Amino acid sequence: MPSFRFASHASRRGPLRSLVHAAAGLALAALAMPALANEPWQRLDAAQSLLGDSEPQTQGLTLDLPHVSEDGSSVPLTVIFDGELDEGDYIERIDLFANANPSPSIATFHLTPLGGKTEISTRVRLNETQQVIAIATSQQGERFATAREVRITVSGCLVRNGGEMPDSLSNPRVSIPSGLAAGEPGEVRTLINHPMETGLREDDDGNVVPRHIVERFSVSLNGDTVFEAELRQSVSANPYLRFFLAPQESGEVEFTWQDDSGETARHVAELDIT
Amino acid sequence: MTQHSSRPGLNRRQLIKGLGAASLLPLVGGITPFAIGGQHAGQVVVIGGGFGGATAAKYLKRTNPAIEVILVEPAEAFYTCPFSNLHLGGLRSMHDIAHGYDELQDRYGVRVIHAMAEDIDAATRTVRLSTGSELEYDRLVLSPGIDIRWNALEGYDEKAAEKAPHAWKAGPQTELLRSQLEAMEDGGTFVMVAPANPFRCPPGPYERASLVANYLAQYKPKSKVLILDAKDNFSKQGLFMEGWERLYGDRIEWVGLSGDGRVTRVDADRLEVETEFGTVHQADVLNVIPPQKAGWIAERAGVTDDSGWVPVKPDTFESQQAEHIYVIGDASVAAPMPKSGFCANAQAKVVAAAIAASLESRPAPEAYWTNTCYSLVGPKYGISVAGVYRVRDGVIAEVEGSGGVSPANAPETTRALEAEYAVGWYNAICQDTWGTPV
């Protein structure tokens, strides 16, 4: 079969093509850096009212979300801060927004120096393809912002029929680290079953299901609050939170969830520092 | 006119070689009629002989027989993932799901090389094979399927897969899992670990659980199936659950993400898995369907992004990152199209048309795709989901009002008919892809 071309090194056309690729790469990199006036947080009122006149830094804060999600009812999200801060300063607040959701504010996290590592994961609802925005505020007032676009598809092979859903707070689950040294950051994971009704959904008979969400989640160590979250409708059903604690001493960790009907759920765990 | 005319930097010796090759063609037979006149239509290398690659090779030749098409596929027999669950359930032999490349070679004049593609140089447009030889291409089609992300799930590596098979690429893994099921004592638990999206064949794990339950119900009636899932929703969930209840009672238990179903550690030696919140489940047969990524050669070609999959231009499936490389099937990011054999077949036809057009400097025809995913809940109990897709606002979108799923609470006759349609679908698509006679 002599008509098929096998490569011969004499015919390589590498350098020229590589240059073209490199140029294209540079052009793409330029496109990836939007003009300042066009940052997603500048186009969202809720984010602007939080920022006020301050110009956030764009390095140091990262959002990790899939580029494409086939299930907008539960999109995994992680926000990480690894930027520079003055000595003694720390990130004390992170706000999350979804700019095309009916109610853009997703959640607000309140952190303390006992976090040790600023990395929080949760699962969020995204109504459609849009920008997800994170804004971090340090205790001394430094601001950081980042955004990431997520494309939401409705996959025909991923039709949702919904499983059974509890109508109140149930099955709190907690995973805490063991064998930590004092001050060493350890991963904490929590999950609780709750419908997180948005107040926008209709039931099978066409009646609007009233809003019913977990509004607040807090964690204390030996009585001192070490982590808090204000949750809103855009947090997925069965709220999941993953964050870090760097405790200096052993003690009792108490987890509390509170929903908008006033109901609360508690879970207590013993944390041992070696 | 030479076959190399569009390519700069060619030396004189090759030019003569090319002419010599063209002059030999009449001896080869009638398979490349356009080349006889000295017109070279271009050389396309296709990597991967599954639903995507074999279809692309065939339809390139059907569109323009003058295009030189080389298919690179290590295996001489390709075992399909669709219907491999029937083998697990004892309903089909491996022979029944094996397909070869005779039609592509003998009828369509595709050159099939049984080798591994080991490297791709997009700059010089060459593919290096495990045999040491290199192939040049004007256009490259990658249909490499999936690879397992070893160790993405703690404790699950290639060695672990010998004890806790994934069986998510049909072949020896399928046979291993089947033999473990056959060896399992009555009263045992078949534990399946199901992955988060995206992954190959969204309804596949649930069809597998169904057909395993069907086998157990007949031969090991005290045994159970436990699915530990990293998702809260899965494909055709309502239909599967309705079928499970009807056919298997409470034999199949499904634990979703919000019920602590996400497995975070596998101990293959002890057939044990641990979930995110510390529940340990003991299996008698452990089937771990792990996180996946595009087939390895896509990484070598430099077309994957940080998700591990390949972003493509939706109207042609050409890579967004490398010119003249087209990527189809499970490896590509084609959502909302699922990662299915049917989608790979449909994408291959779009790519064949787009490449044939681009080799003649014509614009690609407008693309659309169809997909149906049949699943067997039992041998006589079929369900399906179908969709039609087009490009809208620059992305692939399901055509509104197209497709849909099987009706809920349908009578047994409807389910039995769909089970027959599933077999008809399988036979038809295998005939279309590999020419396998029914």
Side-chain angles (χ1 to χ4, degrees), chain A residues 4-7 10-13 17 67 70-71 123 155-157 161 189 193 238 240, chain B residues 4 7 14 43 123-125 134 136 138 198 233 235 238 257-258 276-277 306 336 373 385:
Chain A
F4 294 96
R5 276 198 321 273
F6 281 76
S11 71
R12 282 181 186 268
R13 303 131 300 176
R17 197 170 295 271
H67 300 291
E70 297 173 59
D71 182 1
R123 297 174 189 137
S155 173
C157 264
N161 296 277
R189 296 187 294 255
N193 293 136
N238 307 313
Y240 170 88
Chain B
H4 299 290
R7 315 181 75 185
Q14 281 182 307
Q43 176 153 299
T124 58
R125 286 198 231 159
E134 289 195 345
E136 286 192 340
D138 296 304
N233 302 294
S235 174
L257 178 67
S258 293
E276 188 169 21
F277 291 96
D306 58 7
C373 294
V385 55

mmCIF file of all heavy atoms in Angstrom, chain A residues 4-7 10-13 17 67 70-71 123 155-157 161 189 193 238 240, chain B residues 4 7 14 43 123-125 134 136 138 198 233 235 238 257-258 276-277 306 336 373 385:
data_model
loop_
_atom_site.group_PDB
_atom_site.id
_atom_site.type_symbol
_atom_site.label_atom_id
_atom_site.label_comp_id
_atom_site.label_asym_id
_atom_site.label_seq_id
_atom_site.Cartn_x
_atom_site.Cartn_y
_atom_site.Cartn_z
ATOM 1 N N PHE A 4 0.270 5.463 1.100
ATOM 2 C CA PHE A 4 0.165 6.099 2.411
ATOM 3 C C PHE A 4 1.483 6.740 2.779
ATOM 4 O O PHE A 4 2.533 6.151 2.605
ATOM 5 C CB PHE A 4 -0.234 5.063 3.469
ATOM 6 C CG PHE A 4 -1.609 4.545 3.222
ATOM 7 C CD1 PHE A 4 -1.799 3.362 2.535
ATOM 8 C CD2 PHE A 4 -2.713 5.268 3.623
ATOM 9 C CE1 PHE A 4 -3.072 2.890 2.285
ATOM 10 C CE2 PHE A 4 -3.983 4.803 3.370
ATOM 11 C CZ PHE A 4 -4.165 3.613 2.702
ATOM 12 N N ARG A 5 1.381 7.948 3.281
ATOM 13 C CA ARG A 5 2.593 8.699 3.613
ATOM 14 C C ARG A 5 3.056 8.359 5.008
ATOM 15 O O ARG A 5 2.333 8.536 5.970
ATOM 16 C CB ARG A 5 2.296 10.193 3.561
ATOM 17 C CG ARG A 5 2.395 10.770 2.206
ATOM 18 C CD ARG A 5 2.525 12.272 2.272
ATOM 19 N NE ARG A 5 1.729 12.902 3.289
ATOM 20 C CZ ARG A 5 0.470 13.277 3.120
ATOM 21 N NH1 ARG A 5 -0.165 13.026 2.006
ATOM 22 N NH2 ARG A 5 -0.165 13.888 4.096
ATOM 23 N N PHE A 6 4.252 7.885 5.119
ATOM 24 C CA PHE A 6 4.880 7.772 6.418
ATOM 25 C C PHE A 6 5.786 8.972 6.594
ATOM 26 O O PHE A 6 6.324 9.499 5.629
ATOM 27 C CB PHE A 6 5.668 6.458 6.533
ATOM 28 C CG PHE A 6 4.769 5.298 6.814
ATOM 29 C CD1 PHE A 6 3.989 4.758 5.799
ATOM 30 C CD2 PHE A 6 4.650 4.786 8.076
ATOM 31 C CE1 PHE A 6 3.128 3.698 6.052
ATOM 32 C CE2 PHE A 6 3.801 3.731 8.343
ATOM 33 C CZ PHE A 6 3.039 3.186 7.326
ATOM 34 N N ALA A 7 5.942 9.389 7.818
ATOM 35 C CA ALA A 7 6.710 10.610 8.064
ATOM 36 C C ALA A 7 8.178 10.373 7.807
ATOM 37 O O ALA A 7 8.704 9.307 8.067
ATOM 38 C CB ALA A 7 6.515 11.056 9.497
ATOM 39 N N ALA A 10 12.985 14.543 7.308
ATOM 40 C CA ALA A 10 13.400 15.601 6.391
ATOM 41 C C ALA A 10 12.241 16.545 6.087
ATOM 42 O O ALA A 10 12.447 17.680 5.691
ATOM 43 C CB ALA A 10 13.921 14.990 5.102
ATOM 44 N N SER A 11 11.026 16.095 6.290
ATOM 45 C CA SER A 11 9.892 16.927 5.885
ATOM 46 C C SER A 11 9.255 17.666 7.053
ATOM 47 O O SER A 11 8.187 18.223 6.932
ATOM 48 C CB SER A 11 8.847 16.057 5.193
ATOM 49 O OG SER A 11 8.233 15.238 6.157
ATOM 50 N N ARG A 12 9.881 17.646 8.196
ATOM 51 C CA ARG A 12 9.286 18.341 9.350
ATOM 52 C C ARG A 12 9.192 19.837 9.087
ATOM 53 O O ARG A 12 10.104 20.446 8.572
ATOM 54 C CB ARG A 12 10.123 18.106 10.610
ATOM 55 C CG ARG A 12 9.863 16.748 11.203
ATOM 56 C CD ARG A 12 10.686 16.557 12.443
ATOM 57 N NE ARG A 12 10.542 15.190 12.930
ATOM 58 C CZ ARG A 12 9.638 14.832 13.815
ATOM 59 N NH1 ARG A 12 8.800 15.714 14.307
ATOM 60 N NH2 ARG A 12 9.563 13.589 14.213
ATOM 61 N N ARG A 13 8.085 20.397 9.499
ATOM 62 C CA ARG A 13 7.909 21.840 9.342
ATOM 63 C C ARG A 13 7.678 22.473 10.700
ATOM 64 O O ARG A 13 6.825 23.275 10.887
ATOM 65 C CB ARG A 13 6.694 22.153 8.454
ATOM 66 C CG ARG A 13 6.701 21.555 7.093
ATOM 67 C CD ARG A 13 5.388 20.886 6.823
ATOM 68 N NE ARG A 13 5.144 19.816 7.805
ATOM 69 C CZ ARG A 13 4.046 19.125 7.855
ATOM 70 N NH1 ARG A 13 3.078 19.364 7.046
ATOM 71 N NH2 ARG A 13 3.900 18.182 8.761
ATOM 72 N N ARG A 17 5.375 26.428 12.324
ATOM 73 C CA ARG A 17 4.081 26.146 12.922
ATOM 74 C C ARG A 17 4.078 26.445 14.429
ATOM 75 O O ARG A 17 3.139 26.966 14.978
ATOM 76 C CB ARG A 17 3.719 24.682 12.665
ATOM 77 C CG ARG A 17 2.266 24.366 12.872
ATOM 78 C CD ARG A 17 1.958 22.981 12.368
ATOM 79 N NE ARG A 17 2.147 22.880 10.925
ATOM 80 C CZ ARG A 17 1.191 23.151 10.058
ATOM 81 N NH1 ARG A 17 0.020 23.543 10.464
ATOM 82 N NH2 ARG A 17 1.415 23.024 8.772
ATOM 83 N N HIS A 67 -15.566 23.534 34.453
ATOM 84 C CA HIS A 67 -15.885 24.415 33.319
ATOM 85 C C HIS A 67 -17.309 24.153 32.843
ATOM 86 O O HIS A 67 -18.021 25.053 32.435
ATOM 87 C CB HIS A 67 -14.958 24.145 32.129
ATOM 88 C CG HIS A 67 -13.515 24.342 32.419
ATOM 89 N ND1 HIS A 67 -12.987 25.578 32.655
ATOM 90 C CD2 HIS A 67 -12.490 23.464 32.508
ATOM 91 C CE1 HIS A 67 -11.690 25.447 32.885
ATOM 92 N NE2 HIS A 67 -11.370 24.178 32.803
ATOM 93 N N GLU A 70 -22.926 19.090 34.284
ATOM 94 C CA GLU A 70 -24.101 18.446 33.708
ATOM 95 C C GLU A 70 -25.250 18.400 34.701
ATOM 96 O O GLU A 70 -26.284 17.825 34.414
ATOM 97 C CB GLU A 70 -23.720 17.033 33.243
ATOM 98 C CG GLU A 70 -22.680 17.081 32.148
ATOM 99 C CD GLU A 70 -22.145 15.707 31.787
ATOM 100 O OE1 GLU A 70 -22.936 14.853 31.397
ATOM 101 O OE2 GLU A 70 -20.929 15.506 31.898
ATOM 102 N N ASP A 71 -25.060 18.958 35.866
ATOM 103 C CA ASP A 71 -26.121 18.955 36.868
ATOM 104 C C ASP A 71 -26.056 20.259 37.656
ATOM 105 O O ASP A 71 -25.321 20.377 38.631
ATOM 106 C CB ASP A 71 -25.960 17.745 37.797
ATOM 107 C CG ASP A 71 -27.077 17.671 38.849
ATOM 108 O OD1 ASP A 71 -27.975 18.550 38.822
ATOM 109 O OD2 ASP A 71 -27.041 16.753 39.678
ATOM 110 N N ARG A 123 -21.420 22.922 47.758
ATOM 111 C CA ARG A 123 -22.069 22.573 46.489
ATOM 112 C C ARG A 123 -23.161 23.597 46.252
ATOM 113 O O ARG A 123 -23.921 23.914 47.167
ATOM 114 C CB ARG A 123 -22.660 21.159 46.546
ATOM 115 C CG ARG A 123 -21.591 20.104 46.745
ATOM 116 C CD ARG A 123 -22.155 18.713 46.957
ATOM 117 N NE ARG A 123 -21.084 17.811 47.345
ATOM 118 C CZ ARG A 123 -21.170 16.899 48.315
ATOM 119 N NH1 ARG A 123 -22.307 16.750 48.979
ATOM 120 N NH2 ARG A 123 -20.147 16.130 48.587
ATOM 121 N N SER A 155 -28.309 17.627 30.486
ATOM 122 C CA SER A 155 -28.005 16.438 29.710
ATOM 123 C C SER A 155 -29.201 15.512 29.653
ATOM 124 O O SER A 155 -29.804 15.215 30.674
ATOM 125 C CB SER A 155 -26.823 15.704 30.322
ATOM 126 O OG SER A 155 -26.647 14.479 29.662
ATOM 127 N N GLY A 156 -29.528 15.078 28.444
ATOM 128 C CA GLY A 156 -30.666 14.183 28.266
ATOM 129 C C GLY A 156 -30.474 12.870 29.003
ATOM 130 O O GLY A 156 -31.440 12.208 29.372
ATOM 131 N N CYS A 157 -29.195 12.492 29.210
ATOM 132 C CA CYS A 157 -28.940 11.232 29.909
ATOM 133 C C CYS A 157 -28.869 11.450 31.412
ATOM 134 O O CYS A 157 -28.526 10.551 32.150
ATOM 135 C CB CYS A 157 -27.675 10.569 29.395
ATOM 136 S SG CYS A 157 -28.013 9.327 28.141
ATOM 137 N N ASN A 161 -34.984 13.076 38.503
ATOM 138 C CA ASN A 161 -36.310 12.743 39.005
ATOM 139 C C ASN A 161 -36.405 13.015 40.491
ATOM 140 O O ASN A 161 -37.455 12.943 41.069
ATOM 141 C CB ASN A 161 -36.616 11.269 38.726
ATOM 142 C CG ASN A 161 -36.666 11.006 37.238
ATOM 143 O OD1 ASN A 161 -37.677 11.235 36.604
ATOM 144 N ND2 ASN A 161 -35.562 10.561 36.673
ATOM 145 N N ARG A 189 -15.249 18.051 57.400
ATOM 146 C CA ARG A 189 -16.333 17.948 56.413
ATOM 147 C C ARG A 189 -17.660 17.785 57.146
ATOM 148 O O ARG A 189 -17.722 17.050 58.142
ATOM 149 C CB ARG A 189 -16.109 16.745 55.485
ATOM 150 C CG ARG A 189 -14.868 16.860 54.641
ATOM 151 C CD ARG A 189 -14.797 15.722 53.629
ATOM 152 N NE ARG A 189 -14.633 14.432 54.265
ATOM 153 C CZ ARG A 189 -13.485 13.747 54.290
ATOM 154 N NH1 ARG A 189 -12.422 14.230 53.707
ATOM 155 N NH2 ARG A 189 -13.421 12.577 54.878
ATOM 156 N N ASN A 193 -28.949 16.677 55.952
ATOM 157 C CA ASN A 193 -30.050 16.545 55.005
ATOM 158 C C ASN A 193 -31.093 17.621 55.270
ATOM 159 O O ASN A 193 -31.560 17.800 56.399
ATOM 160 C CB ASN A 193 -30.668 15.143 55.088
ATOM 161 C CG ASN A 193 -29.705 14.063 54.615
ATOM 162 O OD1 ASN A 193 -29.564 13.016 55.219
ATOM 163 N ND2 ASN A 193 -28.988 14.324 53.530
ATOM 164 N N ASN A 238 -29.317 19.555 50.930
ATOM 165 C CA ASN A 238 -28.391 18.777 51.755
ATOM 166 C C ASN A 238 -27.041 19.477 51.846
ATOM 167 O O ASN A 238 -26.028 18.992 51.320
ATOM 168 C CB ASN A 238 -28.221 17.355 51.206
ATOM 169 C CG ASN A 238 -29.556 16.657 51.019
ATOM 170 O OD1 ASN A 238 -30.403 16.683 51.914
ATOM 171 N ND2 ASN A 238 -29.775 16.076 49.858
ATOM 172 N N TYR A 240 -23.512 20.890 52.143
ATOM 173 C CA TYR A 240 -22.214 20.262 52.390
ATOM 174 C C TYR A 240 -21.204 21.368 52.590
ATOM 175 O O TYR A 240 -21.183 22.342 51.823
ATOM 176 C CB TYR A 240 -21.840 19.416 51.171
ATOM 177 C CG TYR A 240 -20.428 18.888 51.161
ATOM 178 C CD1 TYR A 240 -20.119 17.663 51.763
ATOM 179 C CD2 TYR A 240 -19.393 19.578 50.521
ATOM 180 C CE1 TYR A 240 -18.826 17.165 51.746
ATOM 181 C CE2 TYR A 240 -18.100 19.080 50.500
ATOM 182 C CZ TYR A 240 -17.821 17.869 51.112
ATOM 183 O OH TYR A 240 -16.535 17.371 51.085
ATOM 184 N N HIS B 4 1.513 16.050 -2.321
ATOM 185 C CA HIS B 4 2.081 16.873 -1.254
ATOM 186 C C HIS B 4 1.973 18.358 -1.550
ATOM 187 O O HIS B 4 2.579 19.154 -0.874
ATOM 188 C CB HIS B 4 3.561 16.537 -1.062
ATOM 189 C CG HIS B 4 3.783 15.120 -0.671
ATOM 190 N ND1 HIS B 4 3.438 14.636 0.557
ATOM 191 C CD2 HIS B 4 4.296 14.081 -1.369
ATOM 192 C CE1 HIS B 4 3.745 13.344 0.607
ATOM 193 N NE2 HIS B 4 4.252 12.996 -0.540
ATOM 194 N N ARG B 7 1.840 21.255 0.993
ATOM 195 C CA ARG B 7 2.691 21.244 2.168
ATOM 196 C C ARG B 7 4.070 21.795 1.855
ATOM 197 O O ARG B 7 4.787 21.261 1.030
ATOM 198 C CB ARG B 7 2.787 19.821 2.693
ATOM 199 C CG ARG B 7 1.409 19.200 2.702
ATOM 200 C CD ARG B 7 1.430 17.830 3.232
ATOM 201 N NE ARG B 7 1.588 17.870 4.666
ATOM 202 C CZ ARG B 7 1.729 16.768 5.385
ATOM 203 N NH1 ARG B 7 1.772 15.614 4.822
ATOM 204 N NH2 ARG B 7 1.842 16.862 6.680
ATOM 205 N N GLN B 14 10.991 13.074 -1.738
ATOM 206 C CA GLN B 14 9.638 12.679 -1.340
ATOM 207 C C GLN B 14 8.637 12.930 -2.444
ATOM 208 O O GLN B 14 7.692 12.189 -2.620
ATOM 209 C CB GLN B 14 9.216 13.473 -0.117
ATOM 210 C CG GLN B 14 9.813 12.914 1.134
ATOM 211 C CD GLN B 14 9.325 13.701 2.305
ATOM 212 O OE1 GLN B 14 9.459 14.921 2.287
ATOM 213 N NE2 GLN B 14 8.756 13.042 3.262
ATOM 214 N N GLN B 43 -4.461 12.994 3.491
ATOM 215 C CA GLN B 43 -4.278 11.807 4.322
ATOM 216 C C GLN B 43 -4.821 12.078 5.725
ATOM 217 O O GLN B 43 -4.460 13.061 6.354
ATOM 218 C CB GLN B 43 -2.794 11.449 4.384
ATOM 219 C CG GLN B 43 -2.511 10.276 5.311
ATOM 220 C CD GLN B 43 -1.267 9.502 4.911
ATOM 221 O OE1 GLN B 43 -1.207 8.953 3.803
ATOM 222 N NE2 GLN B 43 -0.282 9.456 5.779
ATOM 223 N N ALA B 123 2.814 20.029 15.728
ATOM 224 C CA ALA B 123 3.553 21.012 14.934
ATOM 225 C C ALA B 123 3.996 20.420 13.602
ATOM 226 O O ALA B 123 3.907 21.068 12.569
ATOM 227 C CB ALA B 123 4.766 21.504 15.724
ATOM 228 N N THR B 124 4.462 19.169 13.640
ATOM 229 C CA THR B 124 4.926 18.549 12.389
ATOM 230 C C THR B 124 3.865 17.634 11.794
ATOM 231 O O THR B 124 4.088 17.011 10.765
ATOM 232 C CB THR B 124 6.196 17.710 12.643
ATOM 233 O OG1 THR B 124 5.896 16.728 13.638
ATOM 234 C CG2 THR B 124 7.328 18.594 13.139
ATOM 235 N N ARG B 125 2.708 17.561 12.451
ATOM 236 C CA ARG B 125 1.600 16.708 12.007
ATOM 237 C C ARG B 125 2.052 15.272 11.784
ATOM 238 O O ARG B 125 1.899 14.700 10.698
ATOM 239 C CB ARG B 125 0.995 17.251 10.715
ATOM 240 C CG ARG B 125 0.168 18.494 10.937
ATOM 241 C CD ARG B 125 -0.728 18.715 9.740
ATOM 242 N NE ARG B 125 -0.608 20.064 9.239
ATOM 243 C CZ ARG B 125 -0.927 20.444 8.026
ATOM 244 N NH1 ARG B 125 -1.391 19.555 7.152
ATOM 245 N NH2 ARG B 125 -0.822 21.682 7.643
ATOM 246 N N GLU B 134 6.454 6.279 11.834
ATOM 247 C CA GLU B 134 5.714 7.519 12.005
ATOM 248 C C GLU B 134 4.771 7.712 10.831
ATOM 249 O O GLU B 134 5.071 7.324 9.705
ATOM 250 C CB GLU B 134 6.682 8.709 12.089
ATOM 251 C CG GLU B 134 7.457 8.728 13.390
ATOM 252 C CD GLU B 134 8.139 10.060 13.637
ATOM 253 O OE1 GLU B 134 8.248 10.862 12.682
ATOM 254 O OE2 GLU B 134 8.554 10.296 14.782
ATOM 255 N N GLU B 136 2.372 10.610 8.807
ATOM 256 C CA GLU B 136 2.023 12.023 8.644
ATOM 257 C C GLU B 136 0.517 12.141 8.457
ATOM 258 O O GLU B 136 -0.130 11.206 7.996
ATOM 259 C CB GLU B 136 2.691 12.586 7.390
ATOM 260 C CG GLU B 136 4.163 12.803 7.538
ATOM 261 C CD GLU B 136 4.704 13.625 6.374
ATOM 262 O OE1 GLU B 136 4.043 13.687 5.322
ATOM 263 O OE2 GLU B 136 5.786 14.199 6.541
ATOM 264 N N ASP B 138 -2.723 15.013 7.241
ATOM 265 C CA ASP B 138 -3.264 16.346 6.948
ATOM 266 C C ASP B 138 -4.317 16.686 7.990
ATOM 267 O O ASP B 138 -4.464 17.821 8.404
ATOM 268 C CB ASP B 138 -3.878 16.363 5.549
ATOM 269 C CG ASP B 138 -2.820 16.132 4.478
ATOM 270 O OD1 ASP B 138 -1.845 16.899 4.456
ATOM 271 O OD2 ASP B 138 -2.959 15.158 3.713
ATOM 272 N N PRO B 198 -18.222 14.188 34.970
ATOM 273 C CA PRO B 198 -18.683 13.403 33.829
ATOM 274 C C PRO B 198 -17.952 12.069 33.751
ATOM 275 O O PRO B 198 -16.835 11.953 34.201
ATOM 276 C CB PRO B 198 -18.296 14.291 32.643
ATOM 277 C CG PRO B 198 -17.064 15.014 33.101
ATOM 278 C CD PRO B 198 -17.168 15.155 34.601
ATOM 279 N N ASN B 233 -28.072 12.501 41.748
ATOM 280 C CA ASN B 233 -29.006 12.219 40.651
ATOM 281 C C ASN B 233 -28.269 11.397 39.606
ATOM 282 O O ASN B 233 -27.092 11.634 39.371
ATOM 283 C CB ASN B 233 -29.461 13.518 39.985
ATOM 284 C CG ASN B 233 -30.107 14.458 40.965
ATOM 285 O OD1 ASN B 233 -31.162 14.173 41.505
ATOM 286 N ND2 ASN B 233 -29.456 15.581 41.220
ATOM 287 N N SER B 235 -28.753 9.194 35.577
ATOM 288 C CA SER B 235 -29.510 9.091 34.341
ATOM 289 C C SER B 235 -30.701 8.131 34.465
ATOM 290 O O SER B 235 -30.530 7.003 34.932
ATOM 291 C CB SER B 235 -28.548 8.595 33.258
ATOM 292 O OG SER B 235 -29.222 8.348 32.065
ATOM 293 N N GLY B 238 -35.557 7.760 37.870
ATOM 294 C CA GLY B 238 -36.914 7.351 38.219
ATOM 295 C C GLY B 238 -37.289 6.042 37.555
ATOM 296 O O GLY B 238 -37.893 5.155 38.178
ATOM 297 N N LEU B 257 -24.976 10.694 47.093
ATOM 298 C CA LEU B 257 -24.010 11.615 47.698
ATOM 299 C C LEU B 257 -24.483 12.147 49.049
ATOM 300 O O LEU B 257 -23.722 12.169 50.017
ATOM 301 C CB LEU B 257 -23.798 12.778 46.720
ATOM 302 C CG LEU B 257 -22.867 13.907 47.120
ATOM 303 C CD1 LEU B 257 -21.431 13.425 47.201
ATOM 304 C CD2 LEU B 257 -22.969 15.046 46.102
ATOM 305 N N SER B 258 -25.746 12.576 49.119
ATOM 306 C CA SER B 258 -26.234 13.197 50.347
ATOM 307 C C SER B 258 -26.612 12.188 51.418
ATOM 308 O O SER B 258 -27.014 12.553 52.512
ATOM 309 C CB SER B 258 -27.428 14.108 50.043
ATOM 310 O OG SER B 258 -26.976 15.196 49.278
ATOM 311 N N GLU B 276 -17.013 9.159 52.576
ATOM 312 C CA GLU B 276 -16.547 10.468 53.023
ATOM 313 C C GLU B 276 -16.724 10.679 54.524
ATOM 314 O O GLU B 276 -15.911 11.339 55.165
ATOM 315 C CB GLU B 276 -17.347 11.517 52.247
ATOM 316 C CG GLU B 276 -16.877 12.907 52.431
ATOM 317 C CD GLU B 276 -17.525 13.855 51.442
ATOM 318 O OE1 GLU B 276 -18.610 13.531 50.886
ATOM 319 O OE2 GLU B 276 -16.960 14.914 51.222
ATOM 320 N N PHE B 277 -17.812 10.142 55.094
ATOM 321 C CA PHE B 277 -18.045 10.347 56.518
ATOM 322 C C PHE B 277 -17.770 9.092 57.344
ATOM 323 O O PHE B 277 -18.347 8.869 58.409
ATOM 324 C CB PHE B 277 -19.447 10.922 56.756
ATOM 325 C CG PHE B 277 -19.560 12.332 56.244
ATOM 326 C CD1 PHE B 277 -20.071 12.596 54.986
ATOM 327 C CD2 PHE B 277 -19.077 13.397 56.998
ATOM 328 C CE1 PHE B 277 -20.120 13.891 54.490
ATOM 329 C CE2 PHE B 277 -19.118 14.689 56.513
ATOM 330 C CZ PHE B 277 -19.638 14.942 55.253
ATOM 331 N N ASP B 306 -7.485 21.410 31.776
ATOM 332 C CA ASP B 306 -7.198 20.991 33.146
ATOM 333 C C ASP B 306 -8.265 20.050 33.725
ATOM 334 O O ASP B 306 -8.081 19.478 34.792
ATOM 335 C CB ASP B 306 -6.950 22.200 34.076
ATOM 336 C CG ASP B 306 -8.137 23.157 34.116
ATOM 337 O OD1 ASP B 306 -9.192 22.824 33.530
ATOM 338 O OD2 ASP B 306 -8.021 24.233 34.729
ATOM 339 N N PRO B 336 -24.284 19.039 26.262
ATOM 340 C CA PRO B 336 -25.128 18.041 26.928
ATOM 341 C C PRO B 336 -25.203 16.675 26.257
ATOM 342 O O PRO B 336 -25.953 15.821 26.735
ATOM 343 C CB PRO B 336 -26.505 18.708 26.896
ATOM 344 C CG PRO B 336 -26.481 19.529 25.651
ATOM 345 C CD PRO B 336 -25.070 20.019 25.519
ATOM 346 N N CYS B 373 -29.957 6.338 24.354
ATOM 347 C CA CYS B 373 -29.326 5.411 25.302
ATOM 348 C C CYS B 373 -30.396 4.436 25.759
ATOM 349 O O CYS B 373 -31.300 4.816 26.499
ATOM 350 C CB CYS B 373 -28.792 6.145 26.537
ATOM 351 S SG CYS B 373 -27.439 7.269 26.216
ATOM 352 N N VAL B 385 -33.573 6.875 26.752
ATOM 353 C CA VAL B 385 -33.606 8.329 26.692
ATOM 354 C C VAL B 385 -33.031 8.705 25.336
ATOM 355 O O VAL B 385 -32.084 8.079 24.860
ATOM 356 C CB VAL B 385 -32.819 8.975 27.858
ATOM 357 C CG1 VAL B 385 -31.396 8.471 27.927
ATOM 358 C CG2 VAL B 385 -32.825 10.497 27.753
#
